[in-house]
Amino acid sequence: MRPYITSLRAIVGREALRFLHQRERFVAALVRPLVWLVVFAAGFRAALGLSIIPPYQTYITYETYIVPGLCGMILLFNGMQGSLSLVYDREMGSMRLLLTAPLPRGWLLFAKLVGSTAISILQALVFLAIAAAFGVTTAPLGYLTVIPALAIAGLMLGALGLALSSFIKQLENFAGVMNFVIFPMFFLSSALYPLWKMAESSEFLHDICAVNPFTHAVELIRFALYGQLNLPALGWTIFATCAFMAFALWGYDPARGLTRRKN
């Protein structure tokens, strides 16, 4: 197991160093959800009334409702950022060097996924601390119980980024593909409004939101912030993680690339 542990530590350490050298990435990851929390939530507060829905025991402000969704936003954008770094590494040649290591390719991709997820969790926890400073708090135990939920959701969204990076061949194509994925996943979810609110306007859009993996990741985080476990959300999130990781392994399969070049 020593080569596996060594490679895991090396790849996670590389991701941490890259993150430390890109401080603007940390700031950008926090500015985006803070704008939603401070600016947009103030505008929607009066327009969007929220009834008592699980896991909440009383009426809540709109700011309280969207905090789990904004944590999911941080995980989503960081997962896509990890995808961008993979595309960049492949163009620069360092990705090719990594994948030629005498270890299973799946383990190397998993180590990359662990590194990006750890950074996502750190960013989400810092955002929760800032949200608490703005008066959006939860139970003290919730800040501990939410960490496993953030980890599972981060792994799912990071695996999605890995899967996408295996099909994006050039940096120029990255922005279009990411916008095609990020914005539909975020807006067609329960991050900004509950599903019953969406059902009032369109049953079709409600059904899309209900099957969106990002919705289940957000609900997993939402319940975890209040010390509760949402089993359906957990099951769907784990299932989506396995599916996205399987696509990533298939996309990075060298035999597939060799067959395509021959054809």
Side-chain angles (χ1 to χ4, degrees), residues 56-132:
Y56 309 109
Q57 303 298 321
T58 183
Y59 290 98
I60 57 171
T61 63
Y62 184 63
E63 292 92 330
T64 302
Y65 177 81
I66 66 171
V67 161
L70 297 180
C71 288
M73 173 194 279
I74 293 174
L75 301 177
L76 175 62
F77 276 84
N78 199 69
M80 297 306 106
Q81 186 72 26
S83 175
L84 173 61
S85 68
L86 280 172
V87 177
Y88 179 81
D89 288 346
R90 186 168 58 222
E91 286 204 352
M92 295 299 104
S94 55
M95 185 65 181
R96 188 179 299 108
L97 181 63
L98 173 65
L99 294 179
T100 55
L103 289 169
R105 183 160 296 196
W107 177 258
L108 298 173
L109 293 176
F110 174 74
K112 175 78 174 177
L113 180 59
V114 169
S116 63
T117 301
I119 294 172
S120 299
I121 295 172
L122 174 62
Q123 292 173 331
L125 291 176
V126 172
F127 169 74
L128 287 174
I130 297 175

Side-chain angles (χ1 to χ4, degrees), residues 43-50 60 62 65-66 192-194 196-197:
F44 283 111
R45 185 187 304 151
L48 184 62
L50 295 175
I60 57 171
Y62 184 63
Y65 177 81
I66 66 171
L192 300 179
Y193 24 73
W196 65 265
K197 203 72 175 178

Side-chain angles (χ1 to χ4, degrees), residues 148-159:
L150 290 173
I152 296 172
L155 288 173
M156 183 197 79
L157 296 170

